[in-house]
Amino acid sequence: MKKEQLQKVLEDISRVKMAVLGDFCLDAYWFIDESKSEVSVETGQATRSVHQQKYSPGGAGNVTNNLAAIGVKDIRAFGVIGTDPFGEEMLRIMRLAGIKTHNLLVQREAWSTHTYSKPYIGDRELNRIDFGNYNVLSNETADRLMAGLAGEIPEVDVVLINQQVPSGIHTGYFKQELLGLIRRFPEKMFIVDSRNFNDFYDGAIRKMNDTEAARLCGLNKQPDEVVAYSELVACAGELFKRFRKPLFITRGERGSLTVSEKGISDIPGLMIISRVDTVGAGDSYLAGAAAALAAGYDLDLAARIGSYVAGVTVQKLFQTGTASPEEIIAIGSDPDYLYAPELAENIRRANYLPGTEIELINPWVEKRPVEHAIFDHDGTISTLREGWEHIMGPMMVKAILGNKFSDADEALYQKVRERVNDYIDKTTGIQTLVQMKGLLDMIREFGCVPEEEMLDEFGYKTIYNDELLQMVNRRLAKYEKGELSLDDFTVKNAVPFLQKLRDSGVKLYLASGTDEEDVKNEARTMGYDHLFEGRIYGAVGDVTKEAKKMVLDRILETIGDAACKTLLTFGDGPVEIRETRKRGGLAVGVASDELKRFGLNESKRTRLIKAGADLVIPDFSQSENLLNLLTR
């Protein structure tokens, strides 16, 4: 969505009136510092000293908190708390957020505020301590809740029904009374998100996850078990026939489905490369989607808003996070979607052009003339930077350990190395600047370098680039001495393919996140700069912005929006693939094995398909087939 469109949606959302009925819980985060522990005189055991504590609403409370954060001004909470301090803390937090709590009833007997206490030592969560598992809702309290809700239903745009825990408000008596209330107001929109009773509340729109949908259709799926897309589509159709009401079905990082009388729509997930904490993500999605529906938007747009809200909150660690309008606009005005995850993660599903290794991801129907072709440099044509991770890894370890690098104990050193290697593996293919922002998070995580001694992401990127350039220059020197040849530093048949494409009348553009003078020098030294006729683009100017995206923007602005229909982009990284797809061009993913310089790199294939590639090739060895396909 364009920024202006998203702003308009959020403005409309701010004016809706929402009622939230459900299990109001509190998440308590207790951060333990063992350096202050002492041995208890009474028990003889070590105490655990809480250095910091944080509290945030969970369950229905998280839904209301998310609604308040995205800008909804009129939020009415209906639930039950106990007489304990946790209930008071929940009320305090919710009132500060502007949520109306006069229908959060206190049951004095047989009820403790549902609280989940999560002790942490470092980033390791210890055994959780739960309150409220023995709650029993009285019929009297249920009647008071129903009376309060019935009196306010005519005033609100939508009623959200949350069911989080088995020992919550959804007793047999309560469920029957609530079902009667839903039937009493058939013109009102009710949305149910229930872990255990999604099949009960007829007349309501339902939000559930893929595992819950599968179980409702008799499939025995565990919470961590993948529900195949084909299975989920079948379940979605069956559930709509059963309930005759729209559904939202979430799939974690794989996005969500919407189901209505118009059919089934696939809403792609967001590409998120930072560490995530998915606690409360479903509540965030529900808040965003429900608010958009209440504002009069359709099911698919509502699902996208829900995805944006959840995409923000999962990146907030050690909290049940919320998303502000500014954060939603930042992630939603230029989102990076995750495409075809099942295909990307299972090469057995690959569909090849007959007799070739050219994988067809998104076959196009109409003939598209090709007038412009952008080529990423490193990994697509050149392999001069092959092995970059062996430069980045040690550089990150040194940055994290700082002055402790030489004398850190073996356990700490190995823990840092494992963390860095895992991070590089997960973020391979994304912008270097984003990787350096992640490095800052890891430096803070390990706490070996004081904040005042840390560089910013641009400083660490400079250190990495300088070390990488030393390796590149050593390789170029060997090439210039004749010790190594062009074939030693280029992907199989890449340069002949460039020549053929240029000879066919296509204008070629070379794009790199490397400094522009360096990439021009490398292309000139390797002998293929003339094929681009001066159209070689690298990083220049503003170091505060990501180089590769800026380079692509410069090229695409030169080509013009109208000409993007005649554009091909070849690249081995997600950035160039995503940006081309956003503009309507065709994107060819080059899943190159840079070490061998030919053959398929399956990890790259996965990343490129998820980024939106239309084709995937391992190299340019089958150039005639590729040219016939692309320029027929």
Side-chain angles (χ1 to χ4, degrees):
M1 295 177 67
K2 292 183 179 179
K3 182 177 180 180
E4 296 75 16
Q5 292 175 299
L6 199 46
Q7 287 174 326
K8 175 65 167 57
V9 173
L10 291 169
E11 287 172 8
D12 291 342
I13 281 175
S14 70
R15 291 188 285 270
V16 302
K17 299 178 180 180
M18 313 280 289
V20 180
L21 168 73
D23 296 323
F24 282 80
C25 309
L26 189 71
D27 289 322
Y29 294 86
W30 296 341
F31 299 95
I32 295 168
D33 184 349
E34 291 184 298
S35 68
K36 299 293 185 182
S37 295
E38 59 184 38
V39 176
S40 168
V41 175
E42 291 81 9
T43 67
Q45 299 198 30
T47 62
R48 286 180 167 171
S49 300
V50 176
H51 171 67
Q52 182 185 9
Q53 54 185 311
K54 294 196 303 185
Y55 299 89
S56 52
N62 190 29
V63 177
T64 59
N65 230 25
N66 271 275
L67 289 171
I70 65 179
V72 178
K73 301 296 190 298
D74 190 337
I75 308 162
R76 310 177 190 198
F78 296 80
V80 181
I81 60 174
T83 58
D84 46 73
F86 295 126
E88 289 298 321
E89 177 65 7
M90 184 187 297
L91 289 175
R92 184 189 69 81
I93 295 171
M94 293 175 67
R95 286 167 180 165
L96 280 175
I99 299 162
K100 298 176 181 178
T101 61
H102 57 279
N103 280 300
L104 275 183
L105 307 180
V106 176
Q107 181 172 302
R108 298 188 176 279
E109 301 294 332
W111 198 275
S112 297
T113 304
H114 286 285
T115 304
Y116 302 100
S117 303
K118 305 173 183 182
Y120 278 86
I121 295 178
D123 59 358
R124 180 170 62 94
E125 184 177 345
L126 306 181
N127 290 356
R128 207 174 70 192
I129 302 170
D130 294 353
F131 297 82
N133 289 345
Y134 299 94
N135 288 348
V136 178
L137 184 75
S138 70
N139 289 352
E140 178 189 358
T141 304
D143 288 339
R144 289 170 59 203
L145 265 182
M146 288 297 97
L149 181 61
E152 298 196 30
I153 283 177
E155 301 175 12
V156 300
D157 299 299
V158 64
V159 179
L160 298 185
I161 300 169
N162 158 276
Q163 185 266 319
Q164 193 82 13
V165 293
S167 57
I169 65 173
H170 293 262
T171 62
Y173 176 79
F174 177 89
K175 285 160 54 184
Q176 289 294 341
E177 293 299 303
L178 179 54
L179 183 60
L181 204 57
I182 293 172
R183 291 170 175 167
R184 182 174 151 194
F185 293 92
E187 76 289 350
K188 189 62 61 174
M189 184 188 300
F190 293 85
I191 304 176
V192 173
D193 182 9
S194 171
R195 289 190 176 182
N196 304 104
F197 309 120
N198 250 325
D199 58 343
F200 187 83
Y201 293 111
D202 289 337
I205 295 170
R206 288 166 170 85
K207 178 263 172 190
M208 63 188 72
N209 62 37
D210 51 359
T211 302
E212 291 164 347
R215 288 176 179 172
L216 284 173
C217 294
L219 300 179
N220 184 22
K221 295 287 184 178
Q222 299 303 311
D224 58 347
E225 188 176 353
V226 172
V227 180
Y229 181 74
S230 57
E231 291 178 314
L232 189 59
V233 168
C235 290
E238 180 181 332
L239 292 175
F240 183 73
K241 289 180 181 177
R242 185 188 306 177
F243 299 137
R244 309 309 302 173
K245 278 287 188 176
L247 296 95
F248 295 98
I249 305 178
T250 58
R251 310 180 65 213
E253 67 171 10
R254 298 183 176 201
S256 61
L257 298 183
T258 63
V259 193
S260 69
E261 66 280 355
K262 295 179 181 179
I264 299 172
S265 294
D266 193 357
I267 310 300
L270 297 174
M271 179 73 73
I272 295 173
I273 51 84
S274 63
R275 288 180 70 193
V276 298
D277 182 350
T278 59
V279 172
D283 299 329
S284 300
Y285 179 99
L286 174 64
L293 276 186
Y297 291 95
D298 65 29
L299 210 64
D300 289 357
L301 187 140
R304 289 185 185 275
I305 299 298
S307 296
Y308 299 155
V309 177
V312 172
T313 63
V314 296
Q315 298 181 69
K316 297 183 176 182
L317 308 181
F318 310 118
Q319 58 182 298
T320 41
T322 60
S324 69
E326 293 75 20
E327 291 171 320
I328 296 168
I329 289 169
I331 201 171
S333 56
D334 187 22
D336 293 329
Y337 288 119
L338 189 155
Y339 297 98
E342 283 82 11
L343 171 62
E345 294 167 8
N346 189 348
I347 198 169
R348 295 176 301 172
R349 295 171 176 255
N351 173 38
Y352 298 101
L353 185 69
T356 76
E357 296 174 327
I358 300 170
E359 185 176 357
L360 307 174
I361 313 299
N362 300 312
W364 53 97
V365 178
E366 78 280 10
K367 184 177 180 180
R368 300 179 65 162
V370 178
E371 297 177 5
H372 308 273
I374 297 174
F375 284 81
D376 172 56
H377 193 216
D378 297 310
T380 302
I381 299 173
S382 168
T383 60
L384 280 169
R385 285 172 172 73
E386 186 279 319
W388 59 268
E389 61 271 28
H390 302 304
I391 303 293
M392 183 179 284
M395 170 263 167
M396 284 187 165
V397 171
K398 290 176 183 176
I400 291 169
L401 291 174
N403 293 333
K404 296 183 180 180
F405 177 74
S406 299
D407 56 3
D409 65 71
E410 187 66 18
L412 175 60
Y413 176 71
Q414 291 301 333
K415 186 176 181 181
V416 171
R417 282 190 69 240
E418 289 172 9
R419 180 82 175 85
V420 165
N421 290 339
D422 180 65
Y423 178 74
I424 290 176
D425 181 63
K426 289 180 178 177
T427 61
T428 294
I430 71 162
Q431 303 97 314
T432 304
L433 196 61
V434 176
Q435 288 177 307
M436 294 303 124
K437 289 179 180 177
L439 171 59
L440 287 171
D441 292 337
M442 287 190 288
I443 294 172
R444 294 187 179 100
E445 176 186 331
F446 283 96
C448 297
V449 179
E451 190 79 25
E452 63 273 13
E453 294 180 15
M454 291 169 54
L455 304 179
D456 59 17
E457 61 265 35
F458 313 110
Y460 288 116
K461 181 180 177 182
T462 297
I463 293 173
Y464 165 69
N465 280 342
D466 288 346
E467 294 183 10
L468 183 63
L469 194 58
Q470 291 177 28
M471 180 186 76
V472 170
N473 287 336
R474 287 194 297 269
R475 291 176 174 179
L476 283 174
K478 283 183 170 289
Y479 173 78
E480 289 181 302
K481 290 177 183 177
E483 297 173 4
L484 294 169
S485 70
L486 182 65
D487 289 341
D488 291 315
F489 292 122
T490 53
V491 173
K492 180 70 174 178
N493 218 25
V495 176
F497 181 76
L498 289 172
Q499 184 71 58
K500 289 178 182 178
L501 204 56
R502 177 179 177 261
D503 291 346
S504 70
V506 177
K507 292 182 179 179
L508 307 184
Y509 303 76
L510 187 61
S512 176
T514 303
D515 287 347
E516 191 162 290
E517 287 307 311
D518 289 332
V519 71
K520 285 181 177 178
N521 177 60
E522 291 167 22
R524 183 170 53 251
T525 302
M526 303 286 279
Y528 47 76
D529 62 320
H530 66 285
L531 298 174
F532 297 94
E533 301 173 303
R535 293 182 290 271
I536 297 178
Y537 295 77
V540 294
D542 191 351
V543 297
T544 65
K545 296 182 179 177
E546 177 48 47
K548 176 68 74 66
K549 189 175 186 306
M550 286 183 65
V551 167
L552 287 164
D553 286 342
R554 285 169 59 203
I555 297 174
L556 293 167
E557 286 171 10
T558 300
I559 294 172
D561 291 341
C564 282
K565 293 294 183 183
T566 67
L567 170 67
L568 277 174
T569 294
F570 295 82
D572 77 320
V575 178
E576 56 268 23
I577 301 300
R578 282 198 298 259
E579 295 306 311
T580 299
R581 174 149 185 166
K582 288 175 185 177
R583 290 164 174 81
L586 285 175
V588 180
V590 183
S592 56
D593 182 328
E594 295 180 52
L595 187 61
K596 293 192 302 183
R597 299 179 300 284
F598 70 90
L600 184 73
N601 179 324
E602 286 197 29
S603 295
K604 279 190 181 181
R605 173 191 175 272
T606 297
R607 290 194 295 270
L608 294 168
I609 293 174
K610 287 183 176 181
D614 297 292
L615 303 174
V616 172
I617 59 174
D619 49 53
F620 298 93
S621 57
Q622 297 175 327
S623 59
E624 289 300 327
N625 300 92
L626 186 59
L627 280 169
N628 290 337
L629 176 65
L630 295 173
T631 61
R632 67 181 187 273

